Every structure is written in structure tokens, then in C-alpha cells.
Amino acid sequence: MTRPRVLLVHGLWAGPSTWWRVGPLLEERGYEVERATLAGHGGRPLGSVRSVADLADDVAAHHAAGALVVGHSLGAVVGLELAARPAYAVGVLLEDPPGPGRTRRSREDAEQRTREDAAARSDPHAAVSELLHGHPTWTRRDARTVVEGRLRSDPELQRFSARHLSWDLPARVAGCPVPVGLVAAVGRYSALAEPDRSTLLATLEHVTEVESGHHVHLDAPSAWVAAVDAFGTAVGPGSPRR
């Protein structure tokens, strides 16, 4: 069976290393896997990026069209933006996308993020241990990828996320010209809140709910891979890489 090429798009303050386990598992199933690095992440400067559309433009400049786009959190919204470009994506799978469409962080959230980043920079080992305490199913490598994402993010992302990230998720999904699937975390740590959750669960054909936190691909990698494989099989092959 010919499978589509998969483009993995990480979330805010993360990086391509977050896919360290699930990427190879998809390759074992016959997928060609690419990992995007969003502007402002992975040691890349944010530069002139001021919107989700700018982030998507940057991804499209580095990765060929014709892929199944799988995005986590902010990466899911970037995936929907990529799919709005003619013939860019054969489908978009959203992993726990943020809702309810208003993602501007409060001052308290921003201050908490600043404290977490400062703690990670001053003592990365302690930050890894703290993550493992809060995520007992994670491996140390899982936690290290999260800390690495924080450490390699442009400090300007703090201001960018507060000022420029806001969207109507159901409207973006409804207007998407290619098939859309959803992998939603079940539990209080899911970013997909009401009323967006109920709207997407009721309208999307390809939905998988997983008992996990926001990082489904880290919390439940086998379930995540199965969901991607099922959606990829339903969507079918895309265009070959240029």
C-alpha cells in the first residue's frame, strides 16, 4: 500500500526532537517522514514572523507540497493554514489543537512561562526531573525534548504568542479544502476546550480520543501512531517529493 508522505509540525516552544519516538514508528509502517522546525524554534530566530500565516509561509518554503500534515497544538493550526494553500496538503491531522479559539495568554500565564523558562535555563536537569514527576509515563528523553524546546526557542516568542496568536478553530476546520482528522486528549490537561471540542467531535469524520495529556504523541505514542496510520490510509497517497 502506498502511503502519503508525512510532515510533522511541532507546537509552541517545542521542536522537531519531540517526534523522536513516533517518527521512526511511522517510518517502520512505510511512511516517509519530514519534521518541520517553525520559525522562532529549534535555534531559529523568529525574525519578521507576525502571524500563523507567516509561520505557514516559512514551512512551505522549506517543505514540498503533497504531504499529510500532522500538527501538534500550534502546529495543528499551522497545518490548517498550510492546507489553505492550493494542493499543498492531502490532509491535516490535528493533535490536541488549542481551543476555544482565543489563545492570547493572560499576564499570569506569561509570567508562569517566564519562570519556567528561567528555571530550565538555570538548571536543565532539575527541569527534566520536574517534568518526569508530572508525567510519570514519560522517559527521560521525552522530558529532555520538552526542555530542549524551551531552551532553543527565541525569547521573542513570549511577546509573539501574547500579541499575534488568535484564531477561530471551528471556522478554520470548516473552511479546510482537504480532509481533517483529530487526535484529542481526554482529561483536564487537554488544550481543546469547549465549545470547540464538542463542535469538532460532532463534525469531523476521523476522530480519535486518547486518555492522555496535551502531548498525546509523548503520553500515548502507540495510540497516536495508530491514529495517524488510520487517517493516512483513509486519505491515500499524496504527491511525490520534489
Side-chain angles (χ1 to χ4, degrees):
M1 177 184 298
T2 303
R3 288 175 167 81
R5 177 166 49 89
V6 172
L7 175 61
L8 302 175
V9 186
H10 62 77
L12 188 64
W13 288 295
S17 63
T18 192
W19 311 111
W20 74 271
R21 181 189 289 109
V22 296
L25 290 176
L26 286 177
E27 290 171 342
E28 289 176 5
R29 296 195 179 204
Y31 291 89
E32 178 186 353
V33 178
E34 297 181 34
R35 300 159 181 81
T37 302
L38 295 175
H41 300 77
R44 299 186 62 209
L46 187 62
S48 60
V49 168
R50 293 294 179 270
S51 66
V52 173
D54 290 343
L55 288 172
D57 286 340
D58 181 73
V59 172
H62 290 86
H63 297 275
L68 169 63
V69 181
V70 180
H72 172 234
S73 197
L74 171 62
V77 185
V78 173
L80 289 170
E81 183 68 35
L82 285 167
R85 290 150 171 75
Y88 187 84
V90 298
V92 182
L93 185 62
L94 315 175
E95 178 191 346
D96 212 49
R102 294 175 294 276
T103 60
R104 297 185 184 277
R105 289 182 173 271
S106 66
R107 178 174 298 178
E108 293 79 10
D109 290 336
E111 290 174 350
Q112 176 65 25
R113 170 60 63 176
T114 299
R115 288 193 294 269
E116 291 175 353
D117 287 353
R121 294 179 192 282
S122 64
D123 192 343
H125 297 293
V128 166
S129 296
E130 183 176 351
L131 279 170
L132 288 173
H133 179 73
H135 301 82
T137 65
W138 284 14
T139 66
R140 183 163 291 275
R141 185 170 179 179
D142 290 328
R144 283 203 308 266
T145 65
V146 174
V147 172
E148 176 186 321
R150 294 175 180 173
L151 296 179
R152 302 197 68 199
S153 294
D154 189 330
E156 283 299 310
L157 277 175
Q158 189 71 265
R159 188 176 304 167
F160 169 75
S161 66
R163 294 183 177 180
H164 301 293
L165 296 186
S166 183
W167 49 74
D168 184 335
L169 185 61
R172 284 178 177 260
V173 170
C176 188
V178 298
V180 178
L182 172 67
V183 178
V186 176
R188 64 191 181 99
Y189 295 111
S190 174
L192 183 57
E194 297 294 352
D196 288 8
R197 174 179 287 270
S198 292
T199 299
L200 296 188
L201 291 179
T203 57
L204 291 177
E205 178 181 355
H206 302 282
V207 174
T208 302
E209 292 187 280
V210 181
E211 290 284 349
S212 75
H214 178 52
H215 296 77
V216 182
H217 63 283
L218 296 180
D219 293 338
S222 295
W224 183 94
V225 170
V228 174
D229 192 23
F231 187 62
T233 300
V235 168
S239 302
R241 181 173 178 163
R242 290 196 301 263

